[in-house]
Amino acid sequence: MPTERGSSEDFCAVMGKLQSKLKHSTYKYSRHDGIIEERIQTKTFQEYSPAHVDSVFVIASLNSELCVSGGKDKTVVAYNWKTGNVVKKFKGHEREITKLACVPKSSQFFSASRDRMVMMWDLHGSSQPKQQLAGHDMVVTGLAVSPDSSQLCTGSRDNTLLLWDVGTGQCVEKACVSRNLVTHLCWVPREPYVLQTSEDKTIRLWDIRRLQVAHMFPPKQHIQTYCEVSVDGHKCISCSNGFGGEGCEATLWDLRQTRNRICEYKGHFQTVASCVFLPKTLPLMPMIATSSHDSKVKIWNQDTGACLSTFSLDGSGPLTSLAVGDADSLLCASFNRGIHLLRVDYSQGLELQQVAAF
């Protein structure tokens, strides 16, 4: 784990480079034609001073250069992943950070914590939260901001969803479903719907206009840990917990009329904690990426389910969160070794490389 360097430095503009490290990564993976391949990678990557002093639980992209992250140290960090600089640190939560949600096309974002609070922050504003939203009885485990930034939906292990007016900070709707222990929330683009995963192994689509369940997808065999909706709003992916390869998959669903399961992505050996749609890079096929507690990041052919690339972050422990940096970059949070910047290299087919850690 990263260790504290003697000064907490609430706000710091620059965190310097430490050193370049040689990365040795050995892994096996199954190609779509059934052949098992093993690759050994030896790459040099830049290691910066760590953004956090403990495990990182969540990371989100604020824009094409900045990310925000949070974890066990109860601090939210805004970081320029292209330069290796900490832009700002935000402290206000009393317990570890569980979720982050960025306001579209804005410098503002929300954080949730095990302290049951949700806080709104502005990168260009005060070090104090703009809003503090209290309404849940247990840890907040879901955050979703509407595309027009006017509403925030929050979910918790207390089985409830709350809908907030961002402008006033007031809760305007509340819904409770028995045994619905929320694990993640995301807003469907251009629609009044929120997608939600749960520990009861189901995926729910909520109509925000009445805060009622509009659709329930067929239940899976394992806890659903995370979900994301495609940019066009036509598809969504969810991922499952598991162990020893049982469960441990991501699933692609149709969000349109049929709302059927389209494809599954199997190959991880422990809980899949995060899944993202990758930006379309012509002329390549549509792709998704997953990160897992088995310390691996995988890229998949969205249409066929074939694993196109695997990268093992040896020694990083469980990989807890994944975010898209830009068309060629992924940001991956880990339990033991902070945040990893991965680059998708198309020069020799498709290969993931680590280019930095912070």
Side-chain angles (χ1 to χ4, degrees):
M1 289 187 185
T3 56
E4 193 162 4
R5 298 179 298 280
S7 169
S8 61
E9 296 179 339
D10 287 354
F11 298 93
C12 48
V14 177
M15 299 183 79
K17 299 177 181 178
L18 288 181
Q19 57 184 322
S20 293
K21 283 197 172 182
L22 207 57
K23 167 75 174 178
H24 299 277
S25 180
T26 304
Y27 60 86
K28 294 181 179 180
Y29 73 101
S30 299
R31 300 191 336 194
H32 66 278
D33 54 12
I35 298 174
I36 305 295
E37 289 195 2
E38 180 172 324
R39 289 184 181 177
I40 299 177
Q41 294 182 338
T42 303
K43 300 290 182 182
T44 301
F45 66 91
Q46 187 67 53
E47 186 167 38
Y48 298 95
S49 300
H52 293 272
V53 299
D54 214 319
S55 300
V56 184
F57 296 152
V58 60
I59 190 166
S61 292
L62 191 60
N63 56 44
S64 61
E65 293 184 348
L66 300 179
C67 65
V68 288
S69 57
K72 194 172 182 179
D73 62 6
K74 300 176 283 189
T75 303
V76 178
V77 178
Y79 200 92
N80 187 318
W81 54 267
K82 288 191 174 181
T83 64
N85 295 339
V86 168
V87 178
K88 201 167 187 178
K89 290 188 177 183
F90 302 87
K91 295 184 178 181
H93 286 292
E94 296 179 357
R95 299 190 66 184
E96 54 263 42
I97 311 301
T98 55
K99 293 291 179 179
L100 294 166
C102 298
V103 178
K105 300 178 181 178
S106 168
S107 61
Q108 299 176 341
F109 59 91
F110 291 90
S111 62
S113 167
R114 292 190 66 85
D115 63 11
R116 300 174 293 178
M117 296 291 295
V118 174
M119 296 186 182
M120 183 181 187
W121 310 89
D122 192 333
L123 184 65
H124 303 314
S126 165
S127 59
Q128 301 300 312
K130 289 190 65 177
Q131 290 180 350
Q132 299 187 57
L133 310 179
H136 287 288
D137 296 326
M138 297 183 70
V139 52
V140 181
T141 48
L143 289 177
V145 185
S146 65
D148 66 1
S149 310
S150 66
Q151 294 176 301
L152 174 74
C153 187
T154 63
S156 168
R157 289 181 61 85
D158 63 10
N159 304 326
T160 65
L161 264 66
L162 302 180
L163 186 65
W164 305 82
D165 183 302
V166 171
T168 65
Q170 298 298 309
C171 178
V172 294
E173 294 284 353
K174 179 178 181 178
C176 183
V177 175
S178 177
R179 295 185 292 180
N180 181 31
L181 280 72
V182 175
T183 57
H184 195 70
L185 295 171
C186 57
W187 210 289
V188 179
R190 298 176 297 279
E191 298 287 349
Y193 295 107
V194 166
L195 192 71
Q196 180 236 316
T197 48
S198 172
E199 285 193 16
D200 68 3
K201 308 175 185 178
T202 61
I203 304 157
R204 293 176 173 85
L205 188 66
W206 291 82
D207 187 332
I208 293 300
R209 291 167 294 191
R210 298 179 297 275
L211 202 57
Q212 295 179 350
V213 177
H215 179 74
M216 287 180 63
F217 291 88
K220 300 283 289 178
Q221 292 184 333
H222 296 81
I223 290 171
Q224 297 299 285
T225 58
Y226 192 87
C227 57
E228 180 163 295
V229 179
S230 61
V231 174
D232 60 13
H234 294 167
K235 298 180 178 68
C236 66
I237 44 178
S238 66
C239 47
S240 299
N241 82 335
F243 185 77
E246 182 67 27
C248 314
E249 80 272 0
T251 305
L252 181 71
W253 306 87
D254 190 346
L255 270 178
R256 292 167 292 183
Q257 282 188 335
T258 61
R259 292 176 176 166
N260 292 331
R261 185 179 69 184
I262 301 172
C263 191
E264 285 198 327
Y265 311 92
K266 296 184 176 182
H268 285 292
F269 288 92
Q270 294 185 39
T271 294
V272 181
S274 189
C275 49
V276 295
F277 288 93
L278 296 185
K280 289 185 177 180
T281 307
L282 296 175
L284 296 177
M285 74 292 289
M287 296 178 290
I288 69 167
T290 55
S291 64
S292 167
H293 289 184
D294 63 13
S295 301
K296 291 178 172 60
V297 177
K298 290 179 178 285
I299 292 181
W300 311 82
N301 182 318
Q302 179 183 298
D303 296 331
T304 68
C307 182
L308 304 174
S309 183
T310 301
F311 190 79
S312 182
L313 287 159
D314 300 326
S316 294
L319 304 182
T320 53
S321 183
L322 198 62
V324 173
D326 58 25
D328 301 316
S329 303
L330 284 170
L331 297 157
C332 183
S334 71
F335 198 83
N336 291 344
R337 293 187 176 174
I339 301 166
H340 308 267
L341 175 60
L342 306 180
R343 186 70 38 81
V344 185
D345 184 4
Y346 302 105
S347 61
Q348 296 181 343
L350 190 150
E351 184 181 28
L352 275 170
Q353 300 175 353
Q354 182 171 6
V355 295
F358 50 90

